[in-house]
Amino acid sequence: MSVPLRSHTPASTSPHPVASRLTTRILWKLYISHTLSTWNARTFEFGAVIFLSTIFPGTLFFASCYALFRSAAAAVLGPWIGRMVDRGNRLHVVRQSIIWQRVSVACSCLALLTVLSIGEEEVHLRSGMFVASVVLACVEKVGFIANTVAVERDWIVVVSDSLGVERQKLNSVMRRIDLGCKLVAPLCVGLIDGYATNVAIWAVFGMNAASVVIEYFAIAQIYAAVPELGFGKDIQQRREPGTDRHTPSRSVSNSIREAVQPWRDYVQNPAFLASFSLSLLYLTVLSFSSQMTTYLLTLGFTSTHVSLLRLVSVVLELSATCAVPILMKRIGPVRSGLWFINEQLLSIGLAVSLFSVIGPQTQLAGGALVLGFALSRLGLWGFDLCVQYLVQEDAPEATRGSFSAIEISLQNSFELVSFATTMVFYRPEDFQIPIYISVGAITASAACFAYFVRQKRGHLLHMDKCLNRMRYESLPTVENEYDLSHEAS
């Protein structure tokens, strides 16, 4: 049986007009802050790949190395970020994440401009600036994860409960903001880069510098308007008898226990298999990531072409946010997730089949591949929203940040493997191997979620209903029709 959707609607039915206007102002400030944060993250994420492709043309190595270390930083530091969100002051954590993001992006833009302006003969300087840009990108990634976990996984819950706003509606608006920025921001960067790469880098720098003040004070105003955000969390420290003695052996064992405990809580959560199956989908090159973007550029696509193709993909992703609530109301989040993951698997399977038949080194093959994984985004984001609902139902409130950070850490670990595949198979003619690995990961994800569904519901299909629908009813005889017409008369 599907899990019924629980409503978070408050008991009151007629809010006071003044309170309603206050709620609207608070929500608009939250939306503006989230829009600026997401916009800057998306422009830098997409722009950095294009900038590196221009600086180091004809190879996937530098773009893959850049993305590899960003994902590694997120995977390694994810548990620490979760503990910081759970235990730190809410306003302090979000403000620090804003500063980390904006300063690192600004410095990274300056480093890329330096590499772009010097000649190829300056090997040591170019290498040093590339290493600096990688380190700064890791800082930006950590700041973005901290902001995402704090605002989307913690602040949203407190704000919705405090203001009496439906949590599903608030989550939906925040997701649409994210996808809208994902749609428009890369398109703007691609169009500006089509004119001049250095102008595009300066544009990213300027947008980050201009938004930091607005973000910094907007989030403080939200914190002041919602007193519940200032309340501490009820976090129970797990201590064994005698652990307060600060001996070296006990300190080491306590540190190990503290590091392992978030992962243990994650695995023991009822929604673990659903969350793990979603994380597996990050082991893929079949998205508009740095690897696929660089591969399409080597096939002859321009940055404007890539931006337009990404636009089509994000439009389908936005349609998933409209389809998911309707489907979840009819059949529940568990069955909806099963439908969406199978849609993604089918779309990817057809796309890769066409890609293999046409040949990997043609624009037609690249177009078929993009069309297939663009259609699969409907299933991906539908599945993501279903899993998000299941996790929200089961994640403990006191460790909400840790659970979300572990999930993001695991996603980045699988993303790390995907970048490693293109570092090993870095030649464009070998890109088909990472594609086949991605198909295997999607298949494993579908199987993992199918097992979760079987555990949750006890079955995958209602076989009795399916068999009943397959049975043929016997047609009435002439005598029966005569009897029925006689009784009717």
Side-chain angles (χ1 to χ4, degrees), residues 73-242:
V76 173
L77 299 176
W80 172 75
I81 296 171
R83 289 195 299 269
M84 180 183 65
V85 172
D86 282 334
R87 301 177 183 180
N89 176 270
R90 286 187 170 101
L91 180 61
H92 179 74
V93 169
V94 176
R95 276 186 158 181
Q96 288 296 315
S97 69
I98 293 171
I99 296 299
W100 294 348
Q101 291 179 84
R102 300 299 154 255
V103 172
S104 59
V105 170
C107 294
S108 182
C109 289
L110 295 177
L112 292 173
L113 284 169
T114 303
V115 177
L116 189 64
S117 61
I118 62 178
E120 295 184 3
E121 64 277 2
E122 299 287 343
V123 178
H124 296 292
L125 182 57
R126 284 167 62 90
S127 300
M129 289 294 101
F130 174 72
V131 172
S133 65
V134 170
V135 174
L136 291 168
C138 293
V139 176
E140 188 275 337
K141 183 72 171 180
V142 171
F144 177 69
I145 293 175
N147 189 281
T148 300
V149 172
V151 175
E152 295 188 12
R153 307 298 176 89
D154 183 38
W155 282 52
I156 290 298
V157 177
V158 178
V159 169
S160 62
D161 292 343
S162 175
L163 301 181
V165 180
E166 292 184 11
R167 192 175 302 169
Q168 288 182 342
K169 180 179 179 181
L170 193 54
N171 282 332
S172 177
V173 174
M174 298 290 278
R175 180 57 58 86
R176 288 192 178 98
I177 289 173
D178 183 38
L179 292 176
C181 292
K182 187 178 180 180
L183 169 67
V184 181
L187 180 62
C188 294
V189 175
L191 292 175
I192 300 174
D193 182 76
Y195 172 73
T197 300
N198 61 335
V199 175
I201 298 176
W202 278 115
V204 174
F205 178 89
M207 286 185 289
N208 272 269
S211 64
V212 62
V213 176
I214 302 175
E215 286 184 75
Y216 196 82
F217 288 102
I219 206 71
Q221 292 175 355
I222 298 169
Y223 183 83
V226 182
E228 287 79 2
L229 288 171
F231 297 165
K233 299 181 182 179
D234 184 18
I235 301 178
Q236 297 178 354
Q237 302 292 335
R238 296 177 177 86
R239 294 184 181 272
E240 300 292 336

